[in-house]
């Protein structure tokens, strides 16, 4: 395994571990200030929306502040959907480095997310498209697109379910 | 139905004693499967049901598959530009005829045995047809009534319903407030999430016009947005307004008759709304009251029994499909004026995503609250839900805001924390269960 493959894989593993262990601040720190976090919605049975600006997404956060909003809400303990907090286990696989250009890297991965909450256990799947940038020697996420394969959503969905 | 219904008449489920200041509903209406079966037969299959927006079936051959109650139907745009709606089941062996929820097909061919139907429902092809078959006996079954108002398409399985115009009644002026926002018409923006709720459909009806929960359930949304604004990241039309959630703004609630209900609250920053860019045009074309209602009042309209039109942080069609006493599917669509600027459209969508989705930061909390009320309703040891807030503030007929716009609600109060508008909903519900 190349050093880059290891580095990219570690970053993706790190992210899912921090989400599952609810270490929100460290999770956010994996993202650059200008990071985009995008979860398209399904436009029909076979295609997702593909223009995040002018079509409806499930989540579309245009900088890290959007992730901070989510964490603010979770940590407030005042969100009905987030108390009690669902338990989650992300299992990431199929990590592929798709492109490298200087400090910029693109990678894809798959994730199976098992959650447990009021509805019992639910298993879901996501396809990840990452863009990363080397900042001060360390890879950070500049863009994460999550294709959440469910189009009939069961229960509230937040950043830790995806 | 079995005899248990006769022993426990539905009239006992709504305790309507206005002269004694009491209105309450037996919680079993949310949990009892026998009652649910009656609702399907006597309400959903006996009244106008919202099907789709005309924009979703704009071109010849466009189809839209949905349900009336639990029965699959599809709306189909005809050669002559009119709409027809058919039972979505092959006349032969009942396979669904539309491969997708929404698509285009001038002829529909069943994927099971290859029977085919013209746009107008005529059976035109039977594979390996036997001699002397009269194909017309296999034409698709058209539903009893189909009509639209302002582009919103409704259908009924029963012919015995009032005209759509009469049925919508006082709700029409609220629908108009959405329709007149564009001279080119409205369109449904691509992307239409569906979410499942472990809850009774009537809880969704109630929640959509429940002003009272906003300052508790959505307090965290208001605080989150306030914290965001403190960082100066979202300004102008990108800003999601949270002011009205803290309370302290003018509000109102209306029983619009026929089970329709509505609430509104004053916007604290109307200039961040996507419609604001059209202010001059609206002022030129519309009455001052219409302009005020469009620009300054966040509005939620519930049309009995299955659709809600929201014009609050963003603009939404929300459609309910009841599945069982304790389960429903909800489809949400962002509906927007054709021809608005990209900036307004993007602002409208970002507000929608912030608030209105189960992946957003407010509807998700509504969903959790709703599912808790469903679970709590199993507690038959305490069986009544009371709807008495505002009993002392009832206005029979229009308040000054309604009078200005020109609609005539049977009952209203000048406070969306009140619960009087639900009385009309439950009276309509009871009437249909008793009479049909």
């Amino acid at each position: 395994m190349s050093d880059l493959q290891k580095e990219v894989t570690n970053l993706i593993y790190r992210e899912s571990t921090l989400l599952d262990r609810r270490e929100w601040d460290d999770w956010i720190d994996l993202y650059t200030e200008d990071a985009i976090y995008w979860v398209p919605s399904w436009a029909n049975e076979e295609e997702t929306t593909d223009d995040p600006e002018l079509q409806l997404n499930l989540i579309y956060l245009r900088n890290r502040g959007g992730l901070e909003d989510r964490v603010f809400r979770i940590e407030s303990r005042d969100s009905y959907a987030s108390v009690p907090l669902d338990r989650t286990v992300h299992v990431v696989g199929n990590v592929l480095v798709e492109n490298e250009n200087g400090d910029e890297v693109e990678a894809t991965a798959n994730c199976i997310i098992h959650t447990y909450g009021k509805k019992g256990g639910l298993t879901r799947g996501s396809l990840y498209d990452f863009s990363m940038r080397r900042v001060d020697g360390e890879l950070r996420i500049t863009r994460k697109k999550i294709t959440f394969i469910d189009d009939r959503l069961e229960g509230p969905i937040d950043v830790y379910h995806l | 139905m079995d005899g248990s219904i006769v022993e426990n008449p539905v009239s006992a489920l709504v305790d309507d004693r206005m002269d004694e200041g009491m209105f309450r509903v037996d919680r079993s209406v949310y949990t009892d499967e026998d009652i649910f079966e009656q609702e399907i037969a006597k309400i959903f299959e006996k009244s106008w049901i919202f099907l789709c927006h005309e924009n979703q079936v704009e071109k010849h051959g466009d189809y839209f598959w949905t349900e009336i109650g639990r029965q699959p139907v599809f709306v189909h745009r005809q050669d002559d530009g009119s709409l027809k709606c058919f039972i979505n089941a092959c006349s032969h062996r009942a396979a669904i005829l539309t491969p997708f929820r929404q698509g285009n097909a001038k002829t529909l061919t069943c994927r099971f045995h290859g029977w085919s139907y013209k746009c107008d429902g005529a059976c035109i092809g039977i594979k390996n047809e036997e001699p002397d078959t009269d194909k017309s006996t296999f034409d698709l079954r058209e539903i009893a009534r189909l009509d639209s108002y302002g582009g919103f398409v409704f259908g009924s399985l029963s012919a015995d319903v009032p005209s759509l115009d009469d049925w919508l009644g006082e709700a029409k002026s609220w629908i108009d407030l959405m329709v007149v926002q564009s001279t080119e018409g409205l369109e449904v923006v691509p992307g239409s999430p569906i979410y499942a709720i472990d809850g009774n459909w009537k809880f969704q009806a109630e929640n959509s016009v429940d002003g009272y929960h906003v300052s508790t359930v959505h307090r965290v949304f208001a605080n989150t947005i306030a914290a965001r604004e403190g960082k100066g990241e979202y300004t102008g039309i990108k800003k999601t307004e949270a002011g009205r959630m803290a309370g302290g703004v003018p509000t109102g609630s209306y029983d619009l008759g026929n089970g329709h209900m509505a609430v509104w609250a004053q916007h604290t920053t109307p200039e961040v709304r996507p419609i604001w860019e059209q202010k001059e045009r609206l002022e030129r074309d519309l009455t001052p009251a219409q302009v005020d209602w469009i620009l300054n009042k966040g509005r939620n309209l519930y049309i009995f029994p299955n659709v809600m039109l929201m014009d609050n942080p963003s603009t939404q069609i929300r459609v309910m499909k009841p599945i069982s006493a304790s389960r429903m599917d909800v489809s949400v669509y962002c509906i927007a004026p054709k021809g608005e600027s990209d900036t307004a459209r993007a602002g409208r969508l970002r507000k929608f995503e912030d608030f209105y989705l189960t992946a957003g930061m407010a509807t998700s909390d509504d969903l959790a609250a709703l599912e808790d009320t469903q679970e709590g309703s199993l507690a038959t040891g305490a069986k009544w839900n009371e709807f008495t807030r505002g009993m002392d503030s009832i206005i029979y007929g229009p308040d000054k805001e309604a009078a200005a716009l020109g609609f005539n609600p049977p009952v209203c109060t000048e406070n969306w924390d009140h619960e009087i508008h639900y009385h009309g909903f439950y009276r309509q519900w009871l009437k249909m269960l008793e009479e049909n």
Side-chain angles (χ1 to χ4, degrees), chain A:
Chain A
M1 192 184 280
S2 74
D3 286 348
L4 182 63
Q5 173 80 28
K6 266 189 218 162
E7 201 180 356
V8 166
T9 305
N10 277 348
L11 175 55
I12 299 175
Y13 285 178
R14 174 77 51 209
E15 185 191 27
S16 66
T17 298
L18 292 173
L19 284 170
D20 291 339
R21 291 169 193 258
R22 303 168 183 178
E23 294 176 26
W24 310 117
D25 292 341
D26 290 343
W27 169 63
I28 285 184
D29 281 343
L30 301 180
Y31 286 79
T32 59
E33 286 291 340
D34 60 352
I36 287 174
Y37 183 96
W38 176 30
V39 188
S41 69
W42 288 91
N44 56 51
E45 288 87 340
E46 296 182 340
E47 299 160 307
T48 65
T49 51
D50 57 9
D51 178 351
E53 286 295 326
L54 297 179
Q55 296 178 329
L56 186 64
N57 311 288
L58 291 183
I59 301 178
Y60 179 47
L61 310 174
R62 290 139 294 161
N63 59 46
R64 206 169 74 169
L67 299 177
E68 290 167 1
D69 288 350
R70 297 283 170 155
V71 169
F72 176 92
R73 178 166 168 272
I74 295 164
E75 290 187 331
S76 74
R77 306 297 284 159
D78 196 27
S79 154
Y80 213 129
S82 322
V83 180
L85 204 55
D86 287 352
R87 301 163 204 163
T88 66
V89 176
H90 289 64
V91 180
V92 178
N94 300 41
V95 177
L96 287 174
V97 175
E98 299 286 5
N99 198 16
E100 184 191 4
N101 186 1
D103 285 338
E104 309 280 335
V105 181
E106 289 179 354
T108 59
N110 294 347
C111 191
I112 294 290
I113 308 106
H114 181 72
T115 67
Y116 188 86
K118 283 199 83 173
K119 289 168 184 279
L122 292 169
T123 301
R124 296 151 163 151
S126 290
L127 309 178
Y128 292 160
D129 288 89
F130 282 102
S131 298
M132 301 168 181
R133 186 192 305 142
R134 196 171 297 285
V135 182
D136 299 330
E138 299 237 5
L139 278 185
R140 292 278 177 270
I141 300 165
T142 56
R143 181 175 182 275
K144 184 180 184 184
K145 177 187 172 191
I146 300 172
T147 305
F148 190 59
I149 64 165
D150 299 22
D151 69 357
R152 187 166 175 273
L153 305 174
E154 194 71 53
I157 302 289
D158 208 337
V159 287
Y160 47 89
H161 293 107
L162 297 164

